[in-house]
Amino acid sequence: MANTSSRTLRLLSLLQTHRHWPGLELAGRLGVSERTLRRDIDRLRELGYPVSAARGTDGGYQLAPGAVLPPLLLDDEEAVALAVGIGDAARSGIAGMEEASLRALTKVVRVLPPRLRARVDALGAMTVSASVSGPVVAAGVLTAIVQACRDEERLRFGYTARGSAPTEREVEPHRVVASDGRWYLVAYDLHRHDWRSFRLDRLTGPAATGTRFRPRPLPADDAAAFVRTTSGAPAPYRVEVLVHAPAERIRRTVGQWGTIEPLDETSCRLTMSSTSLDWPAQALGNMGAEFEVLGPPEFVAHVHEWGARFLRATRPPR
C-alpha cells in the first residue's frame, strides 16, 4: 500500500480529471478501503480542495470548482501538451494573451524535468500551428529570459543580427513581446548604452548574471510600441463585430480570439486585436452566426475580398 502522502497525491490526480468517481471504484484504484478513502478525502478538504460527496446508489466524489486555483498534478504527456499549448497561445497575436501565457509557460517549464523540456522543444520545432507563423523559440530560452525580466536581473547571451557577425551582449531585460509571429526581447544594452529589441530566434545561451538592476524608463508608451518602432512591425488592427447570437454561445466558439460584450439576449459585440486580418476573418467564419462588421475599414474591405474570392470559387465552369 502506498504511503499516505503519495496516495493523497494520486487521489488528487484522479479527482482532477473532473469526472464523478463512485467511492468503491476510487478506493479500488488506490488500493484502500472505503474508510481510508474517506479519511484521504477529508485530508484534501483540510488542504483547501473542495471535494463534493454524494450518498446513495450513485454516491461518490468529485472535485468541485473552488475560490482559488489549486496546484495541478500532471503526468508526463499532460505536462508536455500543456507547455506546448501555452507556448502556442502566447504566439497567437491575440491581445491580452501574450503576457499571461508567458507567465504560465514560465511556471510550467521551470518545474519540468530536463527530459520533458527536451520533448517540449522538439515538439515546438517539428510541428506547425495555424497560429504560429514565425520562427520557433525553444521553451528553455524563452523562460530564462522571462524570469530575468521578472527578477530584474542582468542577462548575458549571444546574438547574431541580420547580416552581422555573432556578438556577446549584456543587457537589463525589460519585457518579452510577441509580435507578428516573432518573439522580441526589449532591453537596455549595457555595451551600446541604449535601448534595443532583440529577436529571440537569433539569441543563444541566455544566462542571468545574478546582478540586479533598477529599471530605467522606456522611451516608448510600452514594450510593444517600442518593438513596432524598432522592428518595423505593423500596428495591430482592432476589429469590432456585431454578432447576432447570444454572448454565451459565441464565447464557447470564438471567445479565445477576443473579448465579448453582451448587448441583449440575442446579440453581442466581439472585439479582436491582431496584426493580421486573416485570423479575425477565420474566427468569424468558424462562428456559425450572422454578423455585421463595425470596423475598421481595412477589415471591411478584407471581408469583401474574401467573399468575392469564395463566390468566384463556386461559379460553374464555362
Side-chain angles (χ1 to χ4, degrees), residues 76-104:
D76 285 5
E77 300 301 326
E78 292 169 338
V80 170
L82 180 63
V84 172
I86 294 172
D88 203 18
R91 290 189 290 268
S92 66
I94 305 167
M97 288 288 289
E98 296 93 339
E99 186 174 350
S101 300
L102 283 174
R103 292 198 307 269

Side-chain angles (χ1 to χ4, degrees), residues 144-145 148 153-157 169-171 173 185 206-209:
I145 295 172
E153 188 174 353
R154 289 182 179 179
L155 193 67
R156 288 198 188 104
F157 53 82
R169 304 293 183 97
E170 182 170 347
V171 303
L185 167 64
T209 67

